[in-house]
Amino acid sequence: QLIRKFQRRPFDTNSPAVRIACLTEKILRLRAHLLRTDLGGMHQEAKRAMRMYLTRRTRTMKSLYKSDYTLYRHTCTELGIRCIRFAIPLPSANPQKMLNPQAVDGDHARFLIRQRLYRAKHRPREVREPGTQRRIRWTRHPLEPVPESHGRPKPSPQQISTAWPYGVRQERVEGKQVIYNPTAPGVGFWPAKQKIVGGR
């Protein structure tokens, strides 16, 4: 049925559209077989055949895309498969000899644009000395000034809690609690002696 739908003449079994239709039918049958039978990861041969069919269909689709874009789009629409826009390199610098002016893989192009925007946003930035403008180093994340409220207590609004002490302590409401630095050295901290690495 699919062969009759896409063949250009009687006994046409090898045109690109017919090959894409046959490979799509094989892929769908193999997919149904894989979904129907669960062998717990023992489907290596069937998965290998699926990869081969998909590669062969992609190659045929790219060939048809280069030669006849209208037929390619009609075939993809009829079979219900995604109409991929392949990136085709130009054979020459003459734009009149282009195979297809629409030969741009839109999904891949959008991915590359997103990657470029992300890399431009997080690119290494240079740090220069204020007086001489001499470049000191490169940094990936530009340092922002520390806010004035950093390390200082902040007042918290009073609220009721079901656990003890059943609310916010008065010192926290007034913003007079002690802020402890978890990275500060504790009581009895004694810095280690400087030692030469590899020496005595």
Side-chain angles (χ1 to χ4, degrees), residues 57-75:
R57 187 179 73 173
T58 307
R59 198 183 305 134
T60 312
M61 285 169 67
K62 191 170 185 177
S63 169
L64 182 60
Y65 180 87
K66 287 197 289 185
S67 57
D68 191 351
Y69 178 73
T70 310
L71 179 60
Y72 167 78
R73 191 171 57 185
H74 169 72
T75 308

Side-chain angles (χ1 to χ4, degrees), residues 91-196:
S92 65
N94 188 2
Q96 292 181 346
K97 294 183 179 179
M98 288 171 60
L99 292 172
N100 189 2
Q102 295 176 324
V104 177
D105 188 352
D107 296 335
H108 190 61
R110 279 193 289 272
F111 167 74
L112 289 176
I113 290 168
R114 285 198 303 271
Q115 288 288 99
R116 187 174 294 177
L117 289 173
Y118 179 81
R119 286 173 183 163
K121 181 181 177 183
H122 299 287
R123 70 186 183 275
R125 300 174 191 272
E126 55 184 17
V127 179
R128 294 186 177 272
E129 203 173 299
T132 60
Q133 292 298 317
R134 183 174 61 89
R135 189 168 64 218
I136 305 170
R137 61 188 171 86
W138 292 90
T139 176
R140 278 207 172 272
H141 301 286
L143 297 176
E144 297 178 358
V146 181
E148 294 292 332
S149 61
H150 178 70
R152 296 183 181 177
K154 298 177 184 176
S156 302
Q158 184 61 262
Q159 52 187 340
I160 299 172
S161 172
T162 56
W164 190 87
Y166 311 111
V168 182
R169 294 180 183 273
Q170 189 61 30
E171 56 181 13
R172 290 188 174 272
V173 173
E174 296 171 0
K176 296 179 181 178
Q177 74 271 22
V178 179
I179 302 291
Y180 295 99
N181 182 8
T183 60
V187 180
F189 171 74
W190 193 264
K193 292 181 179 179
Q194 296 296 327
K195 197 173 183 180
I196 300 173

Side-chain angles (χ1 to χ4, degrees), residues 23-41:
L23 287 167
T24 304
E25 183 67 25
K26 287 181 182 179
I27 288 166
L28 291 175
R29 284 184 184 175
L30 193 54
R31 179 176 175 273
H33 165 71
L34 287 170
L35 292 173
R36 195 168 51 246
T37 59
D38 183 18
L39 298 180

